[in-house]
Amino acid sequence: VQEQQVAFTCATGVPLTLVPASIAAPPDNHALCVKGCLGKPSGEICQRRLLQAEKRAVTRIGPVQYCCPSGLVKILVPVFINGQHVGSLLAGPFALHALDGALLEQLVERLDKLGLGDRVAQLQTTWSYSPLLSSDKCRAAGTLLRMFAKYLEESGKQNLQSAAPRRSALLEKIEA
């Protein structure tokens, strides 16, 4: 799994995280950028957006693209094993457009509404360290994520089947 995470990040420039299903993990998972790249309280806002995206992804049984409070894009792909949502692949953050003056103005207005209007410097820093993807590369990243999710689903099913208790050959002969 780690090998595929590294390969995805090397191929796309986008970080990839395995996220447990929200039901299985407490909502304050600090392993993610949901701590908030813009400082408190952006982490709570980002966490809410992640949970909303997770609900949509599980309902759709497919990938969801969404924006975090800083305006960067993330892709969330649910992973199901035997029909149960066990976690998700979270790719991002990344940008689909360069941060120009007009976009910065839009984002600052959005941050004002969230009570984060004084975080322009953090916003610009976050954008400067986030990869810029073309729409073609974004689609390719989505395809890789769906393939990886399918791989995890199949691996999970195989692990569950191999871990299932086996009946003894002697017992089967006796019952026959």
Side-chain angles (χ1 to χ4, degrees):
V1 172
Q2 287 179 331
E3 186 178 9
Q4 289 193 2
Q5 280 180 277
V6 170
F8 178 87
T9 300
C10 288
T12 63
V14 175
L16 177 62
T17 307
L18 294 167
V19 184
S22 63
I23 296 167
D28 57 356
N29 186 343
H30 293 296
L32 310 172
C33 70
V34 295
K35 270 178 116 171
C37 63
L38 302 177
K40 285 193 171 192
S42 70
E44 291 89 24
I45 297 166
C46 195
Q47 182 68 41
R48 279 195 307 271
R49 295 231 175 124
L50 173 63
L51 292 174
Q52 290 168 347
E54 181 187 49
K55 286 178 187 174
R56 284 194 331 248
V58 169
T59 301
R60 291 180 183 173
I61 309 176
V64 169
Q65 186 174 306
Y66 72 102
C67 288
C68 65
S70 64
L72 293 166
V73 178
K74 296 180 182 182
I75 302 172
L76 186 80
V77 180
V79 177
F80 296 91
I81 297 177
N82 292 336
Q84 183 173 350
H85 178 232
V86 295
S88 299
L89 297 169
L90 178 63
F94 60 92
L96 291 174
H97 306 283
L99 184 62
D100 60 14
L103 181 55
L104 180 60
E105 188 176 317
Q106 281 181 325
L107 293 174
V108 170
E109 284 178 25
R110 187 182 308 166
L111 290 178
D112 275 336
K113 291 177 185 172
L114 296 171
L116 301 169
D118 61 340
R119 314 290 169 87
V120 177
Q122 290 104 318
L123 175 75
Q124 290 174 310
T125 300
T126 298
W127 273 72
S128 71
Y129 288 101
S130 298
L132 177 63
L133 266 60
S134 67
S135 57
D136 287 341
K137 200 164 194 174
C138 182
R139 276 192 297 279
T143 299
L144 287 173
L145 289 168
R146 285 190 303 278
M147 292 169 64
F148 189 20
K150 198 68 169 158
Y151 166 78
L152 291 173
E153 291 171 15
E154 294 302 319
S155 294
K157 285 179 192 174
Q158 288 175 0
N159 286 339
L160 286 175
Q161 288 171 352
S162 67
R166 301 202 196 250
R167 296 181 48 125
S168 78
L170 177 61
L171 184 59
E172 287 179 6
K173 287 181 182 179
I174 292 170
E175 289 178 346

